[in-house]
Amino acid sequence: MADTLYGEAFYAFHEETSRSSARETIPLVLRYVRPRSVVDVGCGIGTWLVEFEAAGIVDVVGLDGDYVERSKLLIDPRRFRACDLTLPHELDRQFDLAISLEVAEHLPPQCAEAFVASLTRLAPVVLFSAAIPHDSGDGHVNEQFPEYWQEKFRQHDYVVVDCLRRPLWNNDKVAPYYRQDMMFYVHRDRLADHPLLAEEFARAGENPPLSFVHPQTYLTHYTAMMDKIRQSQCLAMRYAARLRAINLVVFPDWTQPPQVISAELGSLIQALVTHPDGQTIALVVNVGGTDELFAGGMIARLSDEIIAAYQGAGGTSPEIASVGGQFGPNQWEVLMACMQWRVKIKREDQLAIAIAKAEEFPSLTCDAIRAGASLAKPE
């Protein structure tokens, strides 16, 4: 795992989230296993081990990369062993319990079998969790469903016992990925040493369903996916509507006589062409509810005539586009979202003149949209 994962943010996170999760989980772990010694492979700063110590287990050892800052350790630095987790590792002793939580996904796939083998050499009972596919965490290179790891442990005659997730499922003090991914792996010949684990194994069998997604994980990923979709939609909309830094959106009442709408749109376009910020302005006209060819032709004709008339006199060239013929609620939502901040300006500065012009017209309603810093703050 790269040392860049272990900055100040990492340590702060582990002080809070990881330690809270350990504090809530360890009493439940101790119901099933009564270890006198615990080794944590990928221990970070020792958040889980310090909570095992608080529960009365003083024989603890943590393994992780040499990049972990010793000054940040929550356990005695003498109990920390620096090692390369991508290589097979073992100590000169065994422990009652080995834990490795949200570590394996950081290791290359070709290291997976050796990593599991190392865990099984350390203890007959392993508390294990690893990120599932599309978790998209920092430094994840081998996200797998639990069945993948179950098969790796099975090669060493370790069976899965999934008895922690149900009681922790709704505990908000435990991070969602622990609640979703954490389970025991126990050497088959040592099940009898832990009656409650043996009972759970007998009840669930050799191949219980393991691939569950926690609602919080689902919602987090769904939200992230929708944010990316919305960003793409907004980018496409900016090109489609030819948006600029400052945008006006007008909604003509197309039931009015064409000459009325033409006169009012012409006055608005003229105000934008003569505005000093005209080159940063886009005018978007809704043509929904009318003949699109007729409305689009009117807008194009007015734009060409007015821009041509004023450019020679120093007029500017706002972007003018028509939208809305086939727009549904989603498209309008995207159009408004990509404009970032809707504001109403009452005083006469920046776009106030153009907006006031639009608001004078009975057949036009107008929204002013801020997408940059040049528009005045709302009153």
Side-chain angles (χ1 to χ4, degrees), residues 1 16-17 78 80 133 143 198 228 249 272 285 289 299 319:
M1 297 188 296
E16 298 177 15
T17 305
R78 292 174 296 181
F80 178 81
E143 296 174 346
K228 291 180 180 179
V249 184
L272 300 182
V285 183
I299 295 165
E319 188 66 72

Side-chain angles (χ1 to χ4, degrees), residues 47-360:
T47 47
W48 281 75
L49 290 179
V50 74
E51 292 301 326
F52 273 109
E53 287 183 325
I57 301 166
V58 297
D59 185 2
V60 300
V61 173
L63 280 63
D64 213 322
D66 198 34
Y67 39 73
V68 175
E69 291 187 35
R70 307 306 192 267
S71 63
K72 302 287 187 180
L73 285 170
L74 301 176
I75 58 173
D76 187 332
R78 292 174 296 181
R79 296 189 174 276
F80 178 81
R81 304 288 186 272
C83 66
D84 184 348
L85 298 184
T86 65
L87 301 176
H89 51 272
E90 56 185 296
L91 301 177
D92 56 359
R93 57 169 295 191
Q94 268 208 332
F95 297 80
D96 297 324
L97 174 67
I99 70 173
S100 184
L101 304 174
E102 304 302 300
V103 174
E105 68 271 16
H106 295 277
L107 307 177
Q110 61 268 26
C111 301
E113 291 189 6
F115 184 70
V116 170
S118 296
L119 293 176
T120 61
R121 284 194 296 268
L122 288 170
V125 181
V126 180
L127 179 63
F128 181 86
S129 73
I132 64 174
H134 306 295
D135 183 83
S136 303
D138 292 335
H140 289 193
V141 295
N142 190 25
E143 296 174 346
Q144 301 286 348
F145 284 113
E147 286 80 2
Y148 170 91
W149 300 108
Q150 180 190 24
E151 181 56 34
K152 304 295 184 190
F153 278 99
R154 197 197 306 271
Q155 294 172 16
H156 302 276
D157 208 21
Y158 277 63
V159 297
V160 64
V161 183
D162 182 12
C163 58
L164 300 176
R165 295 192 293 180
R166 184 181 294 274
L168 293 174
W169 197 252
N170 295 318
N171 188 337
D172 291 336
K173 295 180 181 179
V174 179
Y177 40 84
Y178 292 130
R179 290 184 266 166
Q180 173 183 274
D181 304 330
M182 188 165 47
M183 55 199 75
F184 286 112
Y185 287 93
V186 188
H187 194 284
R188 190 184 301 273
D189 293 343
R190 300 294 295 275
L191 271 172
D193 298 341
H194 309 283
L196 292 181
L197 286 178
E199 288 179 16
E200 294 284 354
F201 175 71
R203 184 181 300 114
E206 292 276 348
N207 294 297
L210 300 178
S211 294
F212 297 108
V213 178
H214 196 277
Q216 282 185 246
T217 302
Y218 168 80
L219 291 174
T220 297
H221 286 71
Y222 177 81
T223 300
M225 178 187 69
M226 293 306 297
D227 286 345
K228 291 180 180 179
I229 291 174
R230 179 54 56 89
Q231 290 171 12
S232 298
Q233 289 175 328
C234 287
L235 183 61
M237 184 65 72
R238 293 195 71 84
Y239 282 105
R242 304 197 295 274
L243 301 181
R244 290 184 173 181
I246 302 171
N247 305 283
L248 284 173
V249 184
V250 293
F251 304 88
D253 178 2
W254 292 101
T255 63
Q256 296 289 316
Q259 61 270 25
V260 172
I261 298 175
S262 178
E264 295 175 350
L265 279 176
S267 295
L268 177 56
I269 293 170
Q270 179 177 323
L272 300 182
V273 170
T274 57
H275 194 280
D277 288 330
Q279 290 183 329
T280 65
I281 296 172
L283 173 66
V284 180
V285 183
N286 175 32
V287 298
T290 189
D291 186 313
E292 292 182 51
L293 290 177
F294 167 78
M298 174 192 295
I299 295 165
R301 176 179 55 79
L302 289 170
S303 302
D304 292 343
E305 290 177 355
I306 295 170
I307 290 174
Y310 281 90
Q311 272 186 333
T316 56
S317 298
E319 188 66 72
I320 300 170
S322 58
V323 300
Q326 301 299 321
F327 268 32
N330 180 64
Q331 284 81 9
W332 279 111
E333 182 181 347
V334 171
L335 177 62
M336 292 305 181
C338 73
M339 295 177 182
Q340 298 177 353
W341 185 18
R342 297 175 70 170
V343 297
K344 187 91 165 182
I345 301 176
K346 296 180 180 178
R347 59 182 182 273
E348 286 198 353
D349 56 5
Q350 297 292 331
L351 282 178
I353 295 175
I355 294 170
K357 199 76 170 175
E359 290 175 342
E360 290 175 1

